[in-house]
């Protein structure tokens, strides 16, 4: 019987792991299908307190992980696929085996959304991606585009100017959703051109199946145009990773887990933290704060249910 299983190794899961490990629970932490969460695919994090010069997302994650390991957290490259209440405890299916646990902290985060256009799946890896940090360096001195108008899209567009000859930012409206500092930085970057009121309608590939261009429709005039790019970076937000919990835990219409009384879910002993339950703030620091709260809530729960 485990005392605590933590699902996810983004900012919230790792902070929960640090707190739970320091409380001597030796939590079992499941890395899931995107180890390190969204920070592991981001560039410089400038707004995490304590790093006046900023810190690379992957470095921040590695620091948190080694901090948790130092206090006894155990990490496994495994994914939770099912979960059930079993009397006074919980059972989770991890890869092919069932594990009993007294508490479960869900910090499974959120995954990138895609546009839903034809042939999207087959083009991923052939000039279509959702991760500028992973794939940006492959597109040196060629034009690329980023789809989206939020902080992620702006951040990716700025990052890609290090490699690409030109970066088009394709946004479906006439103003950016991104925070002012990020929007200003993007609009001032001479290598970025924003294509306003532009909706992607089709990916166009060359004879070798690599991205050649993207077809856009102007939302005001209806006019269709083709933009020659070697890679399309999609940055239009995320979907919470809650499939294994459907029908068991309360969630909103978009699948975000609902919390009550702190990080408690509707099943006792199960706690939710970070982007899997937060559709409002979704920052590294708020995710970390929630991970701390979830570990403390779980610790209190364990002290009342020895
Ligand atoms: P977001 O804020 O939800 O923005 C998504 C963008 O994609 C919006 O501009 C949206 O357009 C557009 N979009 C959504 N669906 C679309 C579709 N089907 N077709 C075309 N465009 C579509 O997501 P995000 O940029 O990933 O940011 C998420 C959260 O993380 C935010 O709270 C953000 O502040 C935070 N974040 C912070 C930083 C930082 O502080 N350094 C960096 C990255 C992210 P509309 O504007 O028309 O809705």
């Amino acid at each position: 019987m485990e005392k605590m299983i933590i699902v996810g190794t983004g900012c919230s899961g790792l902070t929960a792991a640090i707190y739970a490990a320091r409380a001597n629970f030796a939590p079992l932490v499941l890395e899931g299908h995107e180890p390190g969460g969204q920070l592991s695919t981001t560039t410089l994090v400038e707004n995490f307190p304590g790093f006046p010069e900023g810190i690379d997302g992957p470095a921040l994650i590695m620091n948190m992980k080694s901090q948790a390991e130092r206090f006894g957290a155990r990490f496994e490259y495994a994914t939770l696929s099912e979960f059930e209440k079993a009397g006074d405890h919980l059972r989770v299916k991890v890869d092919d085996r069932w594990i009993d646990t007294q508490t479960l902290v869900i910090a499974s985060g959120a995954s990138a959304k895609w546009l839903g256009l034809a042939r999207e799946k087959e083009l991923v890896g052939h000039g279509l991606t959702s991760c500028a940090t992973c794939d940006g360096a492959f597109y040196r001195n060629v034009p690329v585009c980023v789809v989206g108008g939020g902080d992620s899209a702006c951040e990716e567009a700025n990052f890609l100017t290090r490699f690409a000859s030109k970066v088009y930012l394709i946004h479906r409206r006439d103003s950016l959703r991104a925070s002012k500092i990020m929007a200003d930085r993007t609009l001032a970057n001479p290598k970025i051109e924003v294509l306003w009121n532009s909706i992607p309608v089709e990916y166009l590939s060359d004879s070798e199946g690599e991205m050649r261009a993207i077809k856009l429709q102007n939302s005001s005039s209806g006019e269709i145009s083709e933009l020659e790019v070697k890679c399309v970076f999609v940055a239009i937000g995320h979907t919470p990773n809650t499939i294994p919990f459907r029908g068991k835990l309360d969630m909103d219409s978009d699948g975000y887990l609902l919390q009550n009384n702190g990080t408690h879910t509707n099943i006792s002993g199960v706690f939710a933290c970070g982007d899997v339950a937060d559709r409002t703030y979704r920052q590294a620091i708020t995710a970390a704060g929630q991970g701390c709260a979830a570990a403390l809530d779980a610790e209190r729960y364990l002290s009342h249910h020895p």
Side-chain angles (χ1 to χ4, degrees), residues 82 89 96 118 142 273 275:
E82 283 180 54
H89 68 279
D96 289 334
V142 292
C273 54
D275 283 13

Side-chain angles (χ1 to χ4, degrees), residues 6-8 29-33 75-80 94-95 97:
I6 298 172
V7 185
V29 190
L30 307 178
E31 300 260 7
H33 63 280
F75 287 81
E76 255 190 48
Y77 285 98
T79 304
L80 180 150
V94 175
D95 292 344
R97 69 210 149 103

Side-chain angles (χ1 to χ4, degrees), residues 1-5 25-28 74 99-103:
M1 173 78 76
E2 295 286 343
K3 278 201 180 324
M4 193 183 301
I5 291 182
F25 291 132
L28 175 63
R74 296 165 297 138
I99 307 179
D100 294 310
T101 181
Q102 283 180 276
T103 61

Side-chain angles (χ1 to χ4, degrees), residues 47 115 149-152 155 171-173 177 236 281 283:
N47 51 10
L115 289 166
D151 277 324
S152 301
E155 194 174 81
H171 186 34
R172 61 184 179 184
R173 291 188 296 121
R177 175 179 295 279
I236 59 168
Y281 303 107
Q283 304 296 304

